[in-house]
Amino acid sequence: MIDLLLDAYQYFLANQSRFWTAATQHLWISSAALAISIAAGLPLGIWTAHEARIGQWTINLFGALRLAPSLAVLFLVQPYLGIGTMPALVALTLLAVPPVLIATYAGIRAVDRGVSEAARGMGMTAGQILWRVELPLALPSIVGGVRTAAVEVIASATLAAFIGGGGLGIFITRGYALFDTRIMLVGAIPVALLALMAELSLGWMQRRLASGLDAAT
């Protein structure tokens, strides 16, 4: 195993330019998909949490989307958007929206109705209740959804290489095609480390927010 890792490192040293280009593409497409999913999933989650009848249907629909395999989503968008970065970005965004939306919905719905009613009784408007009461209390749940989405996007972005989207998946697909494990490791190890960093950092943030809320109540 050590020899294999050393061989992978030697391959990395000989192909640094291609590696950093692929790593930059991977980070860009993952960050963009996550940012768009937050921009779309957060307001939609807030809206569904306040619309009980339609909200449950929406949650069920997006919950079903989470069951779709990542590779299937990539190939589903390819006939409409072609190949390249754009279809990969759209597919990754579709994968990342459901966990953000569902976590936001769950976080807002978990807020004690008595707290919201008390805020309303103090004269707060609906917007003030949302920003000053509901969102702060739901923040640990929302960060948990972003954490799940980030790990899924970073891991699934390796599949973008199948439709010409670039990223570190290029090394994995090339290594697989050539039956060369050292090339696959040059792509797989950084992706695993990036996913682990996202999991640990956002998990730490979620726990800090939750403990802060516990201390305040």
Side-chain angles (χ1 to χ4, degrees):
M1 186 62 187
I2 298 296
D3 290 339
L4 185 58
L5 291 174
L6 288 175
D7 287 343
Y9 182 62
Q10 291 298 325
Y11 184 86
F12 158 73
L13 291 178
N15 296 273
Q16 287 194 59
S17 176
R18 284 193 296 170
F19 173 84
W20 290 116
T21 299
T24 302
Q25 287 177 328
H26 200 98
L27 286 173
W28 181 87
I29 196 171
S30 299
S31 302
L34 189 61
I36 296 171
S37 69
I38 293 172
L42 189 60
L44 192 54
I46 292 171
W47 177 73
T48 54
H50 291 98
E51 297 290 338
R53 286 183 299 179
I54 302 175
Q56 192 57 52
W57 285 97
T58 307
I59 291 300
N60 291 340
L61 174 64
F62 279 90
L65 279 178
R66 296 196 66 184
L67 301 177
S70 306
L71 191 58
V73 176
L74 281 170
F75 283 117
L76 279 174
V77 300
Q78 184 187 355
Y80 303 99
L81 298 176
I83 60 173
T85 303
M86 183 53 68
L89 179 61
V90 171
L92 290 173
T93 302
L94 289 175
L95 289 171
V97 166
V100 175
L101 186 154
I102 293 170
T104 304
Y105 171 87
I108 297 288
R109 295 288 294 178
V111 173
D112 189 337
R113 293 299 102 183
V115 175
S116 299
E117 290 300 325
R120 187 172 290 108
M122 294 171 63
M124 287 189 181
T125 64
Q128 289 172 326
I129 294 172
L130 174 65
W131 286 101
R132 297 182 183 179
V133 178
E134 293 178 333
L135 280 178
L137 292 175
L139 201 52
S141 176
I142 295 171
V143 172
V146 174
R147 168 187 171 189
T148 302
V151 173
E152 287 185 5
V153 164
I154 291 170
S156 299
T158 56
L159 302 176
F162 284 102
I163 57 173
L168 290 166
I170 288 176
F171 290 97
I172 297 174
T173 54
R174 182 176 297 150
Y176 181 78
L178 298 174
F179 299 104
D180 193 331
T181 306
R182 62 182 184 138
I183 301 178
M184 286 193 284
L185 288 177
V186 170
I189 291 175
V191 171
L193 291 176
L194 285 173
L196 184 62
M197 287 171 59
E199 167 70 19
L200 293 177
S201 59
L202 289 171
W204 175 82
M205 184 184 298
Q206 185 182 7
R207 288 191 296 276
R208 291 280 295 179
L209 288 169
S211 62
L213 281 179
D214 289 340
T217 55

